Amino acid sequence: MEYIFSVLNQIGDGIWHSLILFALTLIFSMPLGLLVCFGRMSKCKPLSLLTGFFISILRGTPLMLQLVVVFFGVYYVFGIPVSPEWRFWAAIIGFSINYSAYFAEIYRSGIESIPKGQYEAAKVLGYTRVQTFCKIIFPQMIKRTLPPITNEIITLTKDTSLAFVLAYTEMFTMAKQVAAAQSSITPLFVAGLMYYIFNLAIAFVMERLEKRLSYYD
């Protein structure tokens, strides 16, 4: 046990960096995904096609490649020199844009699963389109999409390890460095255990939230 705590102490900074990356990605990607969803469902054909193409590119190419494009893109497109500090923001931007595409499709499936009669009933009652969405559609969409959203959040926890491509020292990168220094694979298993614990906590919280939203079952 002492050795495990020693490893945890050595990869502590990496754990903190992974948590920051995870939290900020969620904060930015979930509302951004809703905006992309609105664009995808827009009656304006050019906007709908543009957002559909945006989603297909992000879901059809590796996240690692997208991170590299974001990191080096500022130099090749705008001529701005990249700096070590930019690695952090490039990781946040890359992850947020990528996950917004997945959340957008999850939101769209939830919205389209709601019967059209509810929109008509809201219109008869004098609700505006914004009121209809906020008070009637959105709460139901959240409940219906909670399981796939949970899956994406759990995937994000593990995907934070891909930030190593930008030399961002997240948890698994730190574990690899400690493992190489000690000629032992134990730090890698400790990092894997931490991912498992994080995902258990996420699954527990989301399951509790899902039960609280089961008010009309």
Side-chain angles (χ1 to χ4, degrees):
M1 286 298 292
E2 287 186 15
Y3 178 68
I4 292 177
F5 283 118
S6 173
V7 171
L8 286 173
N9 184 54
Q10 292 179 72
I11 67 174
D13 286 343
I15 294 174
W16 176 242
H17 291 165
S18 291
L19 289 174
I20 292 175
L21 179 58
F22 169 81
L24 291 181
T25 297
L26 278 187
I27 290 172
F28 293 129
S29 65
M30 296 191 79
L32 179 59
L34 194 58
L35 292 177
V36 175
C37 173
F38 290 153
R40 183 76 173 86
M41 300 181 67
S42 173
K43 294 181 180 179
C44 176
K45 202 65 176 179
L47 178 59
S48 178
L49 290 174
L50 182 62
T51 51
F53 179 69
F54 169 83
I55 291 171
S56 69
I57 289 292
L58 292 174
R59 295 201 304 171
T61 57
L63 173 56
M64 191 179 297
L65 174 62
Q66 295 168 27
L67 292 172
V68 172
V69 169
V70 171
F71 181 70
F72 290 105
V74 295
Y75 174 75
Y76 287 106
V77 177
F78 303 107
I80 302 174
V82 296
S83 63
E85 293 76 16
W86 173 238
R87 299 182 192 280
F88 170 73
W89 294 109
I92 297 299
I93 293 170
F95 274 95
S96 298
I97 293 176
N98 176 271
Y99 271 84
S100 70
Y102 289 93
F103 284 130
E105 287 298 276
I106 291 173
Y107 296 152
R108 185 172 68 88
S109 68
I111 293 173
E112 291 182 345
S113 70
I114 296 172
K116 299 296 182 182
Q118 297 197 25
Y119 292 91
E120 297 169 359
K123 188 175 182 180
V124 170
L125 292 172
Y127 281 74
T128 65
R129 294 181 65 181
V130 174
Q131 289 174 326
T132 300
F133 180 79
C134 293
K135 296 183 177 182
I136 299 175
I137 306 303
F138 184 74
Q140 295 183 70
M141 180 204 75
I142 291 297
K143 184 191 182 310
R144 296 182 183 204
T145 60
L146 212 52
I149 286 176
T150 301
N151 288 337
E152 286 302 315
I153 293 175
I154 289 174
T155 300
L156 171 59
T157 306
K158 296 175 288 185
D159 277 354
T160 54
S161 62
L162 295 177
F164 82 91
V165 73
L166 302 183
Y168 179 73
T169 53
E170 39 68 48
M171 177 170 61
F172 201 70
T173 298
M174 292 291 292
K176 287 189 292 184
Q177 292 174 0
V178 174
Q182 299 181 357
S183 299
S184 170
I185 63 171
T186 303
L188 301 180
F189 286 109
V190 173
L193 178 62
M194 293 305 299
Y195 283 118
Y196 180 67
I197 292 172
F198 291 158
N199 284 330
L200 275 182
I202 291 169
F204 174 78
V205 171
M206 297 302 282
E207 185 177 348
R208 298 281 294 182
L209 181 59
E210 192 172 346
K211 288 180 178 178
R212 286 182 64 88
L213 293 177
S214 300
Y215 43 80
Y216 62 82
D217 283 348

